[in-house]
Amino acid sequence: MENTDLLKPNVDHSKFWQNAHQYFDRVYQTMNLDPMWRECLSSPKRLLAVSCPVKMDNGKIQVFTGYRAQHNNARGPFKGGIRFDPSVNRDEVMALAMLQTWKNALVDLPFGGAKGGVVCDPKKLSMGEKERLTRRYTSEILPVIGPVHDIPAPDVGTDAQVMSWVLDTYSMMVGHQELGIVTGKPLALGGSPGREEATGRGVMNVLRAFLATQNKKLEGARIAVQGFGNVGYHAARLLEERGAIIVAVTERKSGIYNELGIDIEAAGLYYRERGELTDFPHCDAISNEELLTSDCEILVPAAMENTVTADVAPHIKAKVIVEAANGPTTPEADEILRDNGVTVLPDILANAGGVTVSYFEWVQGLQNFFWSAKQVQDELQKVMERAFDAVNAKADQADCDYRTAAYTIAISRVAEASRLKGLFP
Ligand code: NAD
């Protein structure tokens, strides 16, 4: 019989949801925490499913399904991105909301974790359709979001323009401009300098800090990047700026390889203009699978979850994997990589730069007092290096891998906040 207890662990959940719980359970069991809190900490506090009827350009009405999952708010308001993608589903948003809780705690932001999404292909929507969908979705989730309740941000398939529509819709509904409702806004609407590149910059900060522990540098490091959207492009660009050689990049359908290094600015421009990398000059074609096992020292998965699987893991040549995407490595692959001596810098650490600058943007919006790009970059670097140092020290002290160390720190912070607050009533 189908299990309808949506928010509880059961066999009907997707692989990605199970993976997220497996990572949590594996660490929780070793932490000597009160078992009573285990279910509280792993269950989402709230899951909202909404249907969004939208008038399409051809005059017909199409109904889109959307979600907002709020995982845990023991440490502060919920915070997390909104994804527009055909693969969005209930379990995915719940799993991503849980990951976001650990990420926010690990970099010590006063936020809980959330995630939202709409099942749609944004590439197939006109600007008008995308705007109407965004506004309708925002109004449907309005009862659960707010500047001190839940603050959305961009994720796969959404950007600063989408965030502007979220801001405007919310502001129209409450009758005044509310900058704190959303982050990842454009600069002209109270966004923060450096937010767009922030996740990629954080990836660079964490990788550089890790290499320093090995007496290595970014200069000359051979790096392959899977996914060439916001995160993949900016990570590749900033790594290249510091002397790394980006030998391969891929997007959903196409990819390029050049062992001497790809001109990332030019490839970014080409991809934005054409929507694919096919025939980019001076490069060979490469598939997503070939990229993962290509001849490089560092692999940066920056696309979607579950791309580094147990099938591909034994063939990966890179000795370091930096998880710029959320949940790219399955637990089975994680084990194989560990046995093969591959260091994995986990998502909740490596891609936390985006939410960190979102936090800076939220603070600026609430205060109506804005920072310089330099201030944002310096503060981001401090947060990312401090988080890496804490994870590195924990991994040394407990003689464990970086993911276990990162989860241990994050879970203990959320557990402590929950314990101190107690249960209501
Ligand atoms: P995006 O929509 O800007 O780009 C996604 C890129 O990945 C595109 O180039 C797309 O073609 C490619 N892609 C999609 N599916 C793929 C597949 N199966 N194989 C290879 N490439 C594929 O999204 P983004 O904002 O760059 O997000 C990428 C990842 O980073 C996601 O996991 C997201 O949750 C995570 N993330 C994003 C942010 C942020 O600030 N945007 C912050 C933290 C984590």
Side-chain angles (χ1 to χ4, degrees):
M1 201 178 87
E2 197 189 346
N3 190 335
T4 51
D5 203 346
L6 287 182
L7 307 184
K8 295 250 177 89
N10 64 48
V11 289
D12 299 331
H13 285 290
S14 73
K15 183 86 178 82
F16 181 50
W17 189 96
Q18 290 176 32
N19 291 349
H21 282 257
Q22 203 172 321
Y23 281 134
F24 166 78
D25 279 338
R26 202 181 68 186
V27 176
Y28 195 83
Q29 280 161 9
T30 65
M31 286 178 68
N32 290 326
L33 290 171
D34 187 340
M36 191 184 81
W37 284 102
R38 188 165 161 195
E39 195 172 331
C40 283
L41 290 178
S42 65
S43 310
K45 192 176 171 69
R46 186 179 288 129
L47 171 69
L48 180 64
V50 295
S51 57
C52 309
V54 174
K55 189 171 257 180
M56 307 303 279
D57 291 348
N58 63 8
K60 295 202 171 126
I61 290 173
Q62 192 172 331
V63 181
F64 295 88
T65 302
Y67 301 96
R68 186 74 184 167
Q70 298 177 329
H71 178 253
N72 182 295
N73 64 348
R75 291 171 44 89
F78 299 105
K79 174 116 194 68
I82 295 174
R83 181 174 283 197
F84 282 2
D85 196 81
S87 65
V88 164
N89 61 70
R90 181 197 76 197
D91 283 5
E92 185 186 62
V93 291
M94 287 200 292
L96 288 167
M98 186 182 187
L99 280 180
Q100 193 73 45
T101 297
W102 313 137
K103 188 185 308 179
N104 294 345
L106 179 63
V107 284
D108 218 357
L109 305 179
F111 289 133
K115 201 74 170 194
V118 177
V119 188
C120 67
D121 186 347
K123 290 211 165 107
K124 294 196 177 135
L125 299 175
S126 69
M127 277 302 262
E129 289 169 342
K130 210 195 304 189
E131 175 176 355
R132 292 192 290 280
L133 174 57
T134 304
R135 288 186 182 280
R136 185 65 194 228
Y137 169 70
T138 306
S139 67
E140 295 292 350
I141 64 166
L142 203 92
V144 300
I145 59 170
V148 293
H149 297 299
D150 182 356
I151 307 114
D155 192 73
V156 174
T158 58
D159 55 15
Q161 177 59 74
V162 172
M163 297 306 116
S164 306
W165 294 324
V166 175
L167 167 75
D168 188 57
T169 306
Y170 186 87
S171 299
M172 294 301 287
M173 306 292 259
V174 297
H176 60 268
Q177 171 101 310
E178 189 63 82
L179 289 184
I181 178 59
V182 70
T183 59
K185 302 179 293 290
L187 271 180
L189 278 179
S192 177
R195 172 59 184 92
E196 198 191 305
E197 62 166 31
T199 309
R201 184 172 284 279
V203 167
M204 182 273 291
N205 290 146
V206 168
L207 176 56
R208 186 172 56 187
F210 166 71
L211 291 176
T213 66
Q214 314 287 302
N215 294 319
K216 290 188 181 153
K217 293 195 160 157
L218 287 172
E219 280 113 53
R222 297 165 55 74
I223 303 182
V225 181
Q226 182 192 46
F228 205 44
N230 173 300
V231 178
Y233 166 71
H234 286 295
R237 180 180 63 79
L238 291 161
L239 291 165
E240 188 196 18
E241 255 176 47
R242 278 150 192 80
I245 301 167
I246 312 299
V247 293
V249 295
T250 51
E251 54 90 32
R252 202 183 293 257
K253 294 177 303 225
S254 58
I256 50 179
Y257 178 83
N258 181 342
E259 63 172 349
L260 300 176
I262 296 165
D263 179 343
I264 294 300
E265 287 271 14
L269 201 61
Y270 188 94
Y271 179 48
R272 279 192 294 279
E273 276 171 4
R274 295 167 203 235
E276 57 178 292
L277 290 162
T278 313
D279 294 335
F280 179 69
H282 315 301
C283 290
D284 297 325
I286 187 172
S287 69
N288 267 300
E289 292 67 36
E290 287 166 340
L291 174 134
L292 293 172
T293 56
S294 64
D295 190 10
C296 62
E297 292 151 27
I298 298 163
L299 179 62
V300 182
M304 296 295 271
E305 54 263 21
N306 292 346
T307 57
V308 179
T309 61
D311 291 339
V312 83
H315 311 292
I316 287 178
K317 297 186 189 73
K319 281 291 162 214
V320 181
I321 296 185
V322 195
E323 293 186 333
N326 283 313
T329 312
T330 66
E332 300 78 30
D334 200 49
E335 226 160 88
I336 297 169
L337 293 166
R338 204 170 31 251
D339 289 348
N340 288 352
V342 179
T343 300
V344 178
L345 296 166
D347 47 7
I348 62 169
L349 170 66
N351 72 32
V355 71
T356 301
V357 176
S358 272
Y359 167 60
F360 299 159
E361 180 179 333
W362 182 67
V363 169
Q364 293 171 71
L366 293 182
Q367 298 182 336
N368 281 295
F369 183 78
F370 295 92
W371 305 4
S372 69
K374 167 105 177 55
Q375 207 175 345
V376 170
Q377 281 175 19
D378 290 350
E379 291 300 318
L380 172 63
Q381 186 176 336
K382 270 189 231 163
V383 170
M384 297 309 290
E385 289 180 354
R386 194 171 56 218
F388 172 78
D389 288 346
V391 171
N392 193 39
K394 185 79 190 170
D396 272 354
Q397 176 233 327
D399 193 19
C400 66
D401 60 275
Y402 282 131
R403 193 186 312 275
T404 304
Y407 266 74
T408 307
I409 295 169
I411 292 170
S412 60
R413 285 181 181 160
V414 180
E416 176 68 351
S418 302
R419 189 189 62 77
L420 287 168
K421 281 177 151 179
L423 286 185
F424 175 86

